Amino acid sequence: MEPIKNSGTQASAVFFARVARRILAQHVPPDLRGATVLLPNYHVAQPLAQALSAAANLPTLLLPQMVTLKDWALSIPLPTPIQPDSQRLIALYQALRERRWFADADLWSLSRELLGLMDDLTRHHVALPESAEEFSRQLAQAYQARSGQSMQFEARVVHELWYAMAASGELDGVRAYQQRLAMLAQQVDRPLYVLLASNLSVPETHFLEACRARVAVTVFDLREMVADVPDCALLSRSLQHAAESNDLRSDAALLQKQSDAALSRPSTGSGRTSRELSFFGAHSLEQEARAAEVQVRRWLLAGKQNIAIVALDRLVARRVRALLERAEVLVRDETGWTFSTLSVSTVLMRWLDALQSDFYYQDLLDLLKSPFIFADPSATDQGASTRKQAVYQLEQLVRKHGVVSHLDAFLELARGEREVQTALVRLRQAAEALQKNSNTLSGWLRALNESLSILGVLQGLAGDEAGAQLLQALQTWQHELAADNTRFNRAEWRHWLAQQLDENTFSDQSIESPVVLTSLASTRWRSFDAVLLLGCDDTHLPNTDNGSVWFNDAVRSTLGLPTREVKLAQQRDDLLALLAMNDTVLVTWQASKNGEKNLLSPHLEMLRTLHELAYGDDLAERELDALLQDAQIRLADFSLPDKAAMPAPAVPPSLISSRISASGYNSLVACPYQYYARHMLRLNELDEVREGVEKRDYGEWAHDILHHFHQQFPVLAEHARTALEDALQHISGEVFAPTVERDYLARAWLLRWQQAIPAYLDAQLKSEAEGWRYQNGEVPFEMPLNEGLTLHGRIDRVDVQAEGMTRVLDYKMMDAGKLRNKLKEPGEDVQLACYAHVYEADEAAFISIEKDKVVAVAPPQDIQELAQANIERLMKVFEQMRNGAALPAHGVEEACMYCEMRGLCRKGEWSPSLDPSDGTTSHSTRLPKDVSQVAGYPDGRGRISPSPSGGRVGKGANHE
């Protein structure tokens, strides 16, 4: 045979050599085919074959049959078909639904748990009493309690369902395995060699007992073999001692005695054993993940080609994998990820969410943004960029018009956008395939498949490895359940599907990597160049959560079912096997969580304490800690300038716009950096879809009402007061009607507006008595200020007098006192000044409409002088920006309170010595002094209002 690459460690070689010598002592090489070796997993075959080759010392060797017991049993055909667990689950669900024992319970989860309990009873040959009453008494004795009503109900549930399932006569997976083992035991005709690291199940133990009556059976139990190896004996004793005691202090004397023998063993000189076992206690999840990533890369640089990450904490493992992949180190995952965590399932569930929510806009947009939708040839011809643009257009329309749900509403909204319309029409066609409210599970899956085909999702999933496995799983479930006629409503089917996706896993077989992510149970008899034990705190090792609400340990012990102690012992055995088989192991855990101490696993804490008593070394990994601290210091040094100073960027001429609105000018005055981020870098947040009524909605409705009213009644004095009130009430009802229809709370805003109607009519009639007449409303404007800058916007209202005087007005749904404060400092709010300049107005004012008060608020300064000064300042600021002037983030807290750019300027992280509010800021970090003076800040500082409307900055606060 060809030489096999050595992937084992020095420790594992001892155990494999012993197994090889024993097999060769019973069989004459080079032909070992007369033996069968039962493996815990197929990863063990290679090092065992290598050990046999080395021990035989022959150029050619015919290896024995090496197989796992489960695969060997599957080679035995059965005369009757096996009922899939999916069918058994439905039978249990139907039984629970018919009996109505659990009115508000999650029947699918309860059915799955009961299915596991039934399998446990079968697996361990538990025979229940014939009557539920006798079973109830047996449970009461186990619980050491009186057989009450709840005890009788629990007994009735299990007993009745157990016999109902048994009466079906169907052969389930557990019974099939037992039958195959029994048939296989009658056919075994060659000696068996069994490699164990923990106890076998009851059926497997019975199988070996039956085989011993026919052939020689030799068991290599790693737990026993470890005790004979001096370097591993301490491992075995410490882990066993940890299982028997939890008080380390009281056991110090005993541990000292156990360490005396170890002290006589040769040392490496540093106090450590020949094994490279070390511990790293992190202070956060991120630090643990980064430590793991750094250590894996160090091992790779050292030439290690077989590295295992044993994931006890899957959350940390996910982060470690992301960090390694960012460093271009792929990870081969043996444990797999549940389908529910993968993007291929997300597109499926988002589709069902969209149907259930009547195409709620977030579900709809998430669905359309999936890379798996519209992947069929007809859609592919349009191009991915075209489809992305269509989704972007739809999102802009949705956010602009505030459409929340209903596919028909989106179709109406997208009228004229051909690509968007095409996508929405396909959604409607696919929705028709899933219109039924009741169907069998197989029928639901068939309808789902049809709808996914219409959406082009099937083609998208087929091109992805995880997607292909998901499609195969869906087809398998549909085939298994084809004969079942039980009907389920849409909600029951959705819950079943979500649970199936959460129970089944995807394993990526395409990755080849020296780094493997695996579980503790999967490492039995396996050896690696290095092992990283991840997440070894006392909540993950041992893992005491059995996920069951049925029966405590006393009952399970009485019935002959595995108890918590059995499962804990199995984890302890697996840990012992891993440590014994591998020389290089790093243990990590979070030594503190949320500022509180988090304990290491008691198994490993005992081992570490034992080593410290024996060698004076607690096995802490200090070199790795130093590497992480150095990386953190260098990261802090790198980011120091950003943290220390207020940002004040100079803008490239290509980013300087040739257009500015009044609200943009207000942003520039409030904080130049805010204007830079919003309007130059175009980092404005997308408009939010307002699902509830907000004050800015109220302001927009009021503007709309008054515009329609004055267009219909330019001069109020020509009409009766009652006719004006009736007309204004009627227009108000029409404007509010669509929102009131879908949101009852909008009626409160309508009542608030109606409260202001009499006061508004009084104010307008008074204005007309003073000679003012309505000329126009909602007036857009584009006004060139110079060759490189245009002022644009929309004026709420323009009034005129017979003498030729003009007045611009802007409606504000806020208190008059706040508006006076905004206008008190010249140049602080520029909106009225800009509008006055556009129309060369003689007067300008805000119209404050607040409850039953309507007041005109005008600037205290001469409006024409104020307008001219503000326009000159605006042109000068843009000239200075073009010449390289900086745009500092010197807005005060009022301006920053609602600013969405605060996370970009990081104002809270500035050094106090460089905060502009303390008056020590250097001249170079500000706009030129003369610009600050024109802005109304003689000393470069002063009060600034966050926005003209007093609302949230950057999200439609200004009505232009």
Side-chain angles (χ1 to χ4, degrees), residues 286-429:
E286 183 66 17
Q287 188 185 32
E288 183 181 9
R290 290 191 177 277
E293 178 247 348
V294 169
Q295 185 58 63
V296 169
R297 291 199 287 132
R298 290 176 69 198
W299 281 335
L300 290 172
L301 290 173
K304 299 186 183 297
Q305 296 297 313
N306 189 16
I307 300 171
I309 301 176
V310 180
L312 301 172
D313 187 334
R314 293 290 290 178
L315 189 61
V316 181
R318 183 184 289 272
R319 180 58 180 155
V320 172
R321 180 174 182 174
L323 291 172
L324 286 171
E325 290 183 351
R326 189 173 69 181
E328 299 185 352
V329 177
L330 296 180
V331 178
R332 179 163 46 92
D333 190 353
E334 292 182 353
T335 58
W337 300 94
T338 60
F339 279 115
S340 60
T341 63
L342 302 178
S343 60
V344 293
S345 295
T346 301
V347 63
L348 188 153
M349 299 310 290
R350 282 293 174 270
W351 166 231
L352 298 179
D353 289 339
L355 289 172
Q356 183 175 344
S357 64
D358 196 11
F359 291 93
Y360 177 62
Y361 78 99
Q362 289 185 351
D363 294 333
L364 174 63
L365 292 175
D366 284 349
L367 173 67
L368 293 178
K369 290 177 183 178
S370 171
F372 300 106
I373 196 171
F374 303 141
D376 52 311
S378 60
T380 305
D381 292 340
Q382 299 177 0
S385 60
T386 303
R387 287 185 282 116
K388 289 181 180 179
Q389 182 64 25
V391 177
Y392 174 77
Q393 290 174 349
L394 177 61
E395 183 168 12
Q396 296 301 311
L397 290 170
V398 167
R399 294 185 182 279
K400 180 179 179 180
H401 297 280
V403 178
V404 177
S405 61
H406 308 305
L407 191 56
D408 290 338
F410 293 122
L411 282 164
E412 179 66 23
L413 183 66
R415 181 178 295 178
E417 302 290 345
R418 187 174 62 84
E419 290 79 9
V420 179
Q421 285 270 354
T422 300
L424 295 176
V425 167
R426 292 185 67 175
L427 288 175
R428 184 162 60 185
Q429 292 172 348

Side-chain angles (χ1 to χ4, degrees), residues 723-738:
L724 293 174
E725 287 193 8
D726 291 344
L728 195 49
Q729 290 280 4
H730 178 72
I731 294 172
S732 301
E734 287 184 337
V735 171
F736 272 85

Side-chain angles (χ1 to χ4, degrees), residues 391-564:
V391 177
Y392 174 77
Q393 290 174 349
L394 177 61
E395 183 168 12
Q396 296 301 311
L397 290 170
V398 167
R399 294 185 182 279
K400 180 179 179 180
H401 297 280
V403 178
V404 177
S405 61
H406 308 305
L407 191 56
D408 290 338
F410 293 122
L411 282 164
E412 179 66 23
L413 183 66
R415 181 178 295 178
E417 302 290 345
R418 187 174 62 84
E419 290 79 9
V420 179
Q421 285 270 354
T422 300
L424 295 176
V425 167
R426 292 185 67 175
L427 288 175
R428 184 162 60 185
Q429 292 172 348
E432 292 173 355
L434 283 165
Q435 282 184 341
K436 290 185 178 181
N437 292 322
S438 177
N439 206 338
T440 64
L441 291 183
S442 179
W444 280 120
L445 290 171
R446 187 165 50 253
L448 175 64
N449 185 79
E450 181 181 349
S451 70
L452 295 179
S453 178
I454 295 172
L455 294 176
V457 173
L458 289 184
Q459 293 84 345
L461 294 180
D464 181 88
E465 185 170 355
Q469 289 193 25
L470 174 60
L471 291 178
Q472 181 59 50
L474 293 173
Q475 292 172 4
T476 299
W477 299 332
Q478 181 181 342
H479 175 73
E480 290 177 348
L481 302 174
D484 186 85
N485 295 320
T486 309
R487 301 188 71 85
F488 300 89
N489 61 37
R490 184 182 295 270
E492 289 175 311
W493 169 63
R494 279 289 314 275
H495 196 170
W496 171 84
L497 181 60
Q499 191 180 81
Q500 289 291 106
L501 296 177
D502 202 43
E503 291 289 332
N504 291 267
T505 59
F506 159 72
S507 180
D508 191 349
Q509 304 296 331
S510 64
I511 296 178
E512 291 293 334
S513 172
V515 183
V516 59
L517 182 66
T518 190
S519 64
L520 184 59
S522 298
T523 62
R524 294 168 187 168
W525 275 87
R526 292 176 67 178
S527 56
F528 303 91
D529 293 342
V531 175
L532 179 64
L533 270 170
L534 198 65
C536 296
D537 58 17
D538 62 346
T539 61
H540 292 94
L541 185 68
N543 185 357
T544 59
D545 182 19
N546 59 14
S548 174
V549 300
W550 292 94
F551 305 133
N552 63 16
D553 275 355
V555 176
R556 296 181 69 87
S557 178
T558 300
L559 295 177
L561 297 178
T563 63
R564 174 178 176 271

Side-chain angles (χ1 to χ4, degrees), residues 918-934:
D918 66 3
T920 61
T921 306
S922 65
H923 179 75
S924 62
T925 61
R926 288 200 162 273
L927 284 170
K929 186 177 180 181
D930 55 352
V931 175
S932 295
Q933 289 175 337
V934 174

